[in-house]
């Protein structure tokens, strides 16, 4: 039954070839989000392993991580913390730079977003190279969070991001995998 549920979820993902550049297949979760049953099944599947456990905050990576993270935080009855691109948060922040394919970027979090020792679940829609996710883990740990796990709807295992997180000692959960880029 569990495998069938994930197959149905996988079918709700739209694949767009040659976006954002030739040779890339973009995995679009907006089709999953617009399907109420698929969205509910995805959130439930991400929540299930942590229901009844102690999660203090769910941290969502901009932007689709906000959508998923807010729903997950609601289900877990805990707070939600946004991790945003530099310059988007209004209060005092802590930032972390990370490498992109061509250059660097920076994410930030409010300096008081979590308390030291808070157990945090990191959420985003997809893990590819892991650059943003590893920066988010480092950022959360810098302000004292304990990372319980990093959760994603989609893992692109051929690119290696989930393994990068595992190598950092972070549990990784993904609802489905797509081969290739």
């Amino acid at each position: 039954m569990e495998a069938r549920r994930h197959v149905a979820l996988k079918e709700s993902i739209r694949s767009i070839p040659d976006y954002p550049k030739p040779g890339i297949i973009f995995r679009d979760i907006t089709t999953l989000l617009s399907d109420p049953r698929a969205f509910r099944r995805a959130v439930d599947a991400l929540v299930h392993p942590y229901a009844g456990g102690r999660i203090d905050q769910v941290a969502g990576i901009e932007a689709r991580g906000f959508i998923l993270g807010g729903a997950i935080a609601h289900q877990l009855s805990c707070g939600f913390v946004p991790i945003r691109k530099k310059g988007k948060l209004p209060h005092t922040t802590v930032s972390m730079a990370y490498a992109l394919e061509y250059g660097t970027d920076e994410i930030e979090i409010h300096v008081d977003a979590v308390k030291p020792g808070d157990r945090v679940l990191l959420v985003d829609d997809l893990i590819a190279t892991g650059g943003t996710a590893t920066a988010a883990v480092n950022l959360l740990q810098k302000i004292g969070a304990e990372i319980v796990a990093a959760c994603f709807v989609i893992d692109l295992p051929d690119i290696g991001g989930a393994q990068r997180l595992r190598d950092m000692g972070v549990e990784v959960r993904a609802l489905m995998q797509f081969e290739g880029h």
Side-chain angles (χ1 to χ4, degrees):
M1 174 106 168
E2 191 72 21
R4 201 166 69 220
R5 177 179 297 179
H6 294 314
V7 169
L9 284 177
K10 196 169 192 175
E11 291 169 358
S12 71
I13 302 297
R14 177 174 33 212
S15 296
I16 303 171
D18 299 321
Y19 183 83
K21 63 183 187 178
I24 302 293
I25 300 174
F26 185 83
R27 306 302 178 172
D28 179 17
I29 72 156
T30 61
T31 47
L32 178 145
L33 296 173
S34 69
D35 177 335
R37 296 184 79 205
F39 185 31
R40 177 64 186 231
R41 283 196 313 268
V43 170
D44 288 350
L46 292 168
V47 165
H48 180 73
Y50 310 102
R54 189 182 130 229
I55 303 292
D56 299 303
Q57 302 283 347
V58 171
I61 299 172
E62 186 172 351
R64 289 170 297 275
F66 291 2
I67 299 164
L68 295 163
I72 291 166
H74 172 77
Q75 291 292 88
L76 292 173
S77 297
C78 65
F80 175 78
V81 173
I83 297 175
R84 302 216 54 193
K85 294 187 183 209
K86 188 166 182 62
K88 301 289 186 177
L89 292 171
H91 184 56
T92 306
T93 61
V94 177
S95 65
M96 182 74 54
Y98 61 99
L100 297 170
E101 190 174 354
Y102 302 105
T104 61
D105 207 348
E106 244 178 295
I107 54 173
E108 44 187 27
I109 191 170
H110 282 137
V111 69
D112 59 356
V114 299
K115 295 185 235 29
D118 272 359
R119 293 173 48 85
V120 176
L121 191 62
L122 180 65
V123 177
D124 204 359
D125 65 323
L126 182 140
I127 178 100
T129 66
T132 308
T134 58
V137 166
N138 288 328
L139 190 57
L140 286 161
Q141 289 174 334
K142 184 176 180 178
I143 61 172
E146 177 188 332
I147 309 302
V148 174
C151 299
F152 307 92
V153 173
I154 300 169
D155 176 21
L156 304 178
D158 295 343
I159 301 176
Q163 189 57 52
R164 283 180 67 191
L165 288 176
R166 289 183 189 102
D167 291 346
M168 294 172 67
V170 175
E171 175 188 326
V172 177
R173 295 192 38 86
L175 300 183
M176 64 189 79
Q177 295 182 342
F178 283 94
E179 302 306 316
H181 296 107

